[in-house]
């Protein structure tokens, strides 16, 4: 069983109200082999919503802020925790997550300047799943 980013399954849950349909991911969901999750929606954020990025301070602490400067770390953290619970309930073996996302990004995320620059790092959900070794 997989957990997958809902936007990859064709669900319109991105910040801009659109999706990032990946036909292979959608087929996994249709076949009952994957469950779509959107950590940002699970955390209580609306669709559409202001774009958000992670800012990492000099101590390595992560904050998630919208482009207008509103802090949304709590919502992102709650969504990550709910996603981890779902992964554990399903005994998910893998996660297929949307790249570059402040929730789901794995390996590279936007740098927090809203300029399109990428840095090494993980979104809050990806990081929590990795830390817990659940997927």
């Amino acid at each position: 069983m997989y957990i997958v980013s809902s936007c990859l399954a064709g669900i319109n849950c991105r910040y801009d109200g659109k999706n990032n349909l990946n036909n292979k991911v959608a087929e996994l969901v249709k076949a009952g082999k994957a469950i779509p999750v959107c950590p940002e929606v699970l955390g209580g954020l609306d669709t559409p919503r202001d774009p958000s990025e992670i800012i990492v301070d000099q101590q390595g602490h992560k904050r998630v802020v919208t482009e207008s400067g509103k802090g949304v770390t709590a919502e992102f953290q709650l969504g990550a925790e709910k996603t981890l619970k779902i992964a554990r309930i399903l005994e998910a073996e893998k996660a297929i997550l949307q790249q570059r996302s402040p929730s789901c990004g794995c390996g590279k995320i936007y740098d927090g300047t809203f300029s399109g620059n990428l840095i090494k790092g993980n979104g809050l959900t990806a990081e929590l799943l990795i830390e817990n070794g659940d997927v």
Side-chain angles (χ1 to χ4, degrees):
M1 181 61 71
Y2 296 87
I3 58 168
V4 298
S5 294
S6 294
C7 61
L8 294 175
I11 298 169
N12 294 331
C13 60
R14 282 176 28 131
Y15 74 92
D16 59 4
K18 298 178 182 175
N19 66 67
N20 292 323
L21 176 63
N22 177 300
N23 289 322
K24 290 181 181 179
V25 171
E27 287 302 318
L28 286 172
V29 172
K30 288 178 189 173
K33 296 178 180 179
I35 298 295
V37 294
C38 178
E40 295 170 28
V41 172
L42 288 171
L45 296 173
D46 293 330
T47 304
R49 57 191 165 275
D50 290 336
S52 300
E53 292 188 7
I54 294 174
I55 297 174
V56 182
D57 68 21
Q58 291 163 333
Q59 290 79 33
H61 300 109
K62 294 180 177 182
R63 289 187 306 121
V64 186
V65 298
T66 66
E67 194 168 19
S68 64
K70 179 182 176 191
V72 288
T73 306
E75 292 88 341
F76 274 72
Q77 189 61 44
L78 178 60
E81 292 166 5
K82 287 183 176 182
T83 299
L84 177 61
K85 286 181 183 178
I86 292 168
R88 287 182 171 165
I89 289 167
L90 295 172
E91 298 179 358
E93 296 176 10
K94 295 196 182 225
I96 302 172
L97 303 174
Q98 173 58 39
Q99 59 188 357
R100 301 179 304 273
S101 160
S103 289
C104 298
C106 189
K108 289 190 177 185
I109 56 172
Y110 291 111
D111 69 359
T113 64
F114 297 90
S115 61
N117 294 322
L118 294 172
I119 58 171
K120 184 178 177 182
N122 298 318
L124 270 58
T125 297
E127 190 71 30
L128 188 63
L129 292 172
I130 291 166
E131 286 173 357
N132 284 275
D134 281 83
V135 290

